[in-house]
Amino acid sequence: MIPIEIIEKYDAVRRFYKKSEIIFEKDSFATHYYQIISGSVKMNNFNDEGREFIQGFFTVHQCFGEPPLFLERTYPANAEAVEDSELICVSKPNFLKLIAENPSVSIIMIKNLAQRLHYKSVMAAEISTEDSEHRLLQLFDYSITYFNFKKEQEGFHIDLTRQQMGDLTGLRVETVIRTIKTLEKKSEVKIVNRKVYR
Amino acid sequence: MIPIEIIEKYDAVRRFYKKSEIIFEKDSFATHYYQIISGSVKMNNFNDEGREFIQGFFTVHQCFGEPPLFLERTYPANAEAVEDSELICVSKPNFLKLIAENPSVSIIMIKNLAQRLHYKSVMAAEISTEDSEHRLLQLFDYSITYFNFKKEQEGFHIDLTRQQMGDLTGLRVETVIRTIKTLEKKSEVKIVNRKVYR
DNA sequence: AACTTTTTATGACCTATATCATAATGACCC
DNA sequence: GGGTCATTATGATATAGGTCATAAAAAGTT
């Protein structure tokens, strides 16, 4: 996202996070800019019954959790390392200085936010009005480009667990499993060795 | 949003739209920047069965539909005038020029996108994991600040029709009507003269 | 004032998805 | 190689919210 050379001019700190370690929590105040050097991160919410909703996954070179930095707000969701990860962090005042002094970075931020807003707009409409088959297909098609899944023999490999698919679309695992099977019967996806291809 | 004086330097055109008139359609390519001079606009989707989902309402001084301008993409939703409205429009090349030449506008755009991403993040989690009572209360609380509804005797007046509440939360009108009534019994909202107060 | 349209309202019934229980398979680890 | 945990799987049952029908109040139109 933001070139590392630029970030490093602003007192950046590298930090390692173990798998499942929490990076920041919902409702806490935003104090840093985070960008991924290696590994991957998810942002999520939990409702009162402990049910998870995954806002999105973020991987190498991507940043996450900036909106509250610009809004003087708390985070709308938690951030958690999906695997062992290395992040580079910049404090809020330094980050705002970085933005002000590097106009090219503003454009990068704008494109990045626009991209994520686009994903959320598409998924919001899906989740609220469409049935489970439609929701999952939309997720697959969107995530192929967005997470750049690899094309293999059978098609693009949707590298998500059934649980993750559910948490991204607001469906339960059992429903995801059943829906995927009917999608397979309708030749919308292939299932080989429990892996899903589209 | 962007000061009118600046916009007018870039071959801006003012256009009037009648109530219910379409400003742009989903899947069409983004060619202009739009900002509201007077009136209000909604962005929405329709699914195959004609069911509507409202992405959001936009009112005086706000802009809408910029993300695809930055992404070389088509619109993820339609835009429609909610009432007779006057908009000021700038062509895409002129708009990008405007951004490049006015660094202060970049910051405005970033804050604007961050704000909307925040709303979508909150509502996405609500819609996918919470029940109808929770969803509506969240919508009310969020829209009080976001649409700046006025505080009256009974509380903040939630100036939305039941249908609009449903289209914003992915619920049906009947469900909204029934849920609001139980919320009234639980003293979470007041209903006076069919109007909802929180 | 008569008409049409929109909004709110209520009841009866239905269905997609959630819930709960239970288990097999595969991955990881000591 | 045996134990633990995560993932996939399947069946039985429950339920929140959707669907359909019908209507009355309010708002807007001519």
Side-chain angles (χ1 to χ4, degrees), chain A residues 88-102:
Chain A
I88 188 161
C89 321
V90 181
S91 74
K92 180 172 168 177
N94 281 329
F95 175 64
L96 295 178
K97 199 160 160 248
L98 185 160
I99 294 273
E101 294 175 356
N102 299 271

Side-chain angles (χ1 to χ4, degrees), chain B residues 51 130-132 135 170-172 174-175 178 193-194:
Chain B
R51 185 165 170 195
E130 304 285 3
D131 59 29
S132 60
R135 280 196 230 182
L171 299 168
R172 311 252 67 172
E174 298 94 325
T175 307
R178 286 164 183 144
N193 214 355
R194 298 179 156 207

Side-chain angles (χ1 to χ4, degrees), chain A residues 11-29:
Chain A
D11 282 333
V13 178
R14 280 157 189 261
R15 269 210 63 186
F16 291 90
Y17 291 85
K18 284 268 161 212
K19 179 178 173 175
S20 301
E21 198 176 337
I22 304 300
I23 298 155
F24 55 71
E25 283 185 69
K26 175 171 148 64
D27 296 333
S28 63
F29 201 75

Side-chain angles (χ1 to χ4, degrees), chain A:
Chain A
M1 194 78 349
I2 304 182
I4 300 282
E5 313 84 71
I6 297 182
I7 299 182
E8 283 177 334
K9 287 189 200 143
Y10 292 84
D11 282 333
V13 178
R14 280 157 189 261
R15 269 210 63 186
F16 291 90
Y17 291 85
K18 284 268 161 212
K19 179 178 173 175
S20 301
E21 198 176 337
I22 304 300
I23 298 155
F24 55 71
E25 283 185 69
K26 175 171 148 64
D27 296 333
S28 63
F29 201 75
T31 61
H32 288 77
Y33 168 80
Y34 297 93
Q35 188 169 311
I36 303 176
I37 304 282
S38 71
S40 60
V41 167
K42 70 176 171 182
M43 289 194 62
N44 62 7
N45 294 86
F46 293 96
N47 75 358
D48 307 336
E49 284 95 50
R51 185 165 171 194
E52 183 175 4
F53 174 72
I54 299 177
Q55 293 280 354
F57 287 102
F58 302 89
T59 180
V60 179
H61 299 151
Q62 295 186 307
C63 58
F64 57 90
E66 322 87 72
L69 286 177
F70 298 114
L71 302 171
E72 310 287 326
R73 288 254 188 108
T74 57
Y75 287 111
N78 315 289
E80 177 186 325
V82 175
E83 52 190 317
D84 291 0
S85 304
E86 183 183 3
L87 307 185
I88 188 161
C89 321
V90 181
S91 74
K92 180 172 168 177
N94 281 329
F95 175 64
L96 295 178
K97 199 160 160 248
L98 185 160
I99 294 273
E101 294 175 356
N102 299 271
S104 68
V105 173
S106 293
I107 303 299
I108 292 175
M109 280 318 311
I110 288 177
K111 286 191 178 176
N112 177 40
L113 292 171
Q115 167 81 60
R116 271 147 64 186
L117 196 51
H118 189 267
Y119 169 79
K120 290 235 176 282
S121 300
V122 170
M123 290 308 294
E126 282 298 315
I127 288 175
S128 59
T129 64
E130 304 286 0
D131 59 30
S132 59
E133 294 183 22
H134 209 282
R135 279 196 230 185
L136 284 168
L137 285 179
Q138 184 70 55
L139 172 70
F140 296 162
D141 290 345
Y142 210 98
S143 59
I144 283 168
T145 46
Y146 196 70
F147 303 140
N148 62 314
F149 286 143
K150 289 160 208 143
K151 175 129 190 168
E152 299 176 16
Q153 283 256 336
E154 318 288 345
F156 289 96
H157 174 204
I158 310 299
D159 193 9
L160 296 167
T161 66
R162 270 79 167 150
Q163 182 65 62
Q164 290 173 330
M165 293 173 191
D167 292 343
L168 284 160
T169 54
L171 298 168
R172 313 251 67 175
V173 217
E174 298 94 324
T175 307
V176 171
I177 290 167
R178 286 166 184 143
T179 306
I180 290 178
K181 299 221 158 152
T182 60
L183 284 174
E184 191 193 20
K185 274 178 206 142
K186 294 182 181 177
S187 308
E188 294 283 358
V189 299
K190 280 186 188 171
I191 304 179
V192 181
N193 214 354
R194 295 178 158 206
K195 288 175 188 164
V196 179
Y197 296 91
R198 164 87 172 152

